[in-house]
Amino acid sequence: MAADRNLNGVRGLVVDIDGTLFRGPRLMPGAREFFSFLETRGISYVVATNNTRSGATYSCRFREAGISLGEEHILTCAGATADYLGKHHPKGARVYVIGKEDLREEISARGFTLLTGMEEPADLVVVGGDFDLTYRKLKEAVLHIQGGARLIGTNPDLLIPTEEGLIPEAGTTLAALEAATGIRPVIIGKPEHILFDLALDKMGVTPEEAAMLGDRLETDILGGRQAGLMTILVETGVDSRRTAAMKGIHPDLTVKSLRDLIALWEEQK
């Protein structure tokens, strides 16, 4: 950990969700204690995910797990992607979506026209994680991109941790579309800056006052570093000290679990 950026200087914390707070439907050990610790210490926080479910969906998920977390503390790629489209494309633009229903609803709520197939040429193809991905969806996305549609990726994650193990996410679909079309997507989520900028705004802190806590080197840690935040890797999801050495992406701090992070933070009083 950088000597001049210890935990006591952290006023705001951006916290990843999958692999950090949850593994599949199960809350990680120590998660409830961790939020109580942040509240007690007066540390602002935003949970930020590359997942494309809505903030309301995640608020309900946390509540069912015994944690009261309002939408003001939640930032997802569904809302961030819809906001990006609203800033860069006119209302009514035709969008072909591969992804969950929450993503479709967020985009529709911004005034865009959602396509279900090849009924009209698409202006945009937006790709998020889709557990019901089919060959037909891939084919239609490829045809729309060949017809001139712009390719937007909600996030670059190749895999997502679940109780079954690591399974394909949006990045896997994007890789297939890029291979088929030769078109590189615009990425909205981590490690790009949009989610980090929004999180800092929500907390009212500067990058120098904030830290990123997550389990993925290429998204959480690299993205946090590029945004100027202190970075903390927790070894409960995808990456570890071993993979950090292999990939050459080094966090400021690595901990085994949320409980270990609490203990270390308390030692630094």
Side-chain angles (χ1 to χ4, degrees):
M1 178 171 53
D4 60 341
R5 299 187 66 188
N6 62 41
L7 291 167
N8 284 326
V10 175
R11 293 184 53 236
L13 189 65
V14 184
V15 188
D16 177 54
I17 298 180
D18 294 305
T20 302
L21 298 173
F22 283 90
R23 177 174 288 277
R26 295 187 178 182
L27 194 66
M28 288 289 188
R32 294 187 187 91
E33 300 97 305
F34 185 63
F35 281 109
S36 294
F37 170 81
L38 295 178
E39 295 282 356
T40 299
R41 294 288 289 265
I43 299 167
S44 299
Y45 59 89
V46 167
V47 297
T49 177
N50 273 355
N51 198 293
T52 50
R53 294 197 181 281
S54 68
T57 297
Y58 268 105
S59 182
C60 180
R61 182 182 182 189
F62 277 101
R63 185 167 59 251
E64 290 172 350
I67 297 174
S68 178
L69 204 65
E71 291 185 52
E72 69 275 12
H73 289 290
I74 302 170
L75 191 57
T76 81
C77 266
T81 298
D83 286 344
Y84 175 86
L85 297 185
K87 290 177 181 178
H88 293 88
H89 297 277
K91 287 185 177 181
R94 299 179 296 269
V95 186
Y96 184 84
V97 179
I98 293 178
K100 300 181 179 72
E101 187 60 28
D102 283 4
L103 177 60
R104 296 177 61 84
E105 290 176 357
E106 291 277 8
I107 293 173
S108 177
R110 302 307 196 280
F112 293 96
T113 301
L114 299 184
L115 302 180
T116 59
M118 302 298 300
E119 64 270 28
E120 293 183 74
D123 300 302
L124 301 156
V125 170
V126 175
V127 176
D130 190 340
F131 294 157
D132 297 310
L133 182 65
T134 63
Y135 176 79
R136 180 187 65 79
K137 292 180 182 179
L138 285 173
K139 178 189 72 175
E140 291 174 351
V142 167
L143 292 172
H144 281 304
I145 296 166
Q146 289 174 347
R150 189 180 185 203
L151 178 59
I152 308 292
T154 59
N155 70 79
D157 297 349
L158 293 170
L159 300 169
I160 184 172
T162 71
E163 290 184 310
E164 296 176 287
L166 299 175
I167 64 172
E169 234 283 336
T172 301
T173 307
L174 288 168
L177 294 176
E178 183 175 349
T181 65
I183 301 298
R184 298 194 66 179
V186 174
I187 301 295
I188 303 301
K190 298 175 288 185
E192 302 304 321
H193 65 88
I194 295 173
L195 278 183
F196 292 101
D197 292 345
L198 289 171
L200 294 173
D201 286 345
K202 275 179 172 284
M203 294 185 292
V205 299
T206 66
E208 294 77 18
E209 297 170 319
M212 174 70 217
L213 170 64
D215 70 301
R216 295 173 181 266
L217 291 166
E218 290 91 346
T219 53
D220 300 321
I221 304 307
L222 182 60
R225 178 196 295 173
Q226 291 175 165
L229 282 65
M230 177 183 176
T231 55
I232 307 168
L233 176 69
V234 60
E235 297 181 298
T236 52
V238 174
D239 282 301
S240 63
R241 288 176 176 84
R242 180 182 62 83
T243 58
M246 292 170 55
K247 297 176 181 180
I249 302 173
H250 301 288
D252 294 305
L253 176 65
T254 302
V255 294
K256 287 286 186 185
S257 68
L258 294 173
R259 284 174 175 154
D260 285 350
L261 179 57
I262 294 172
L264 181 59
W265 214 319
E266 288 178 333
E267 287 176 6
Q268 294 186 3
K269 287 183 180 178

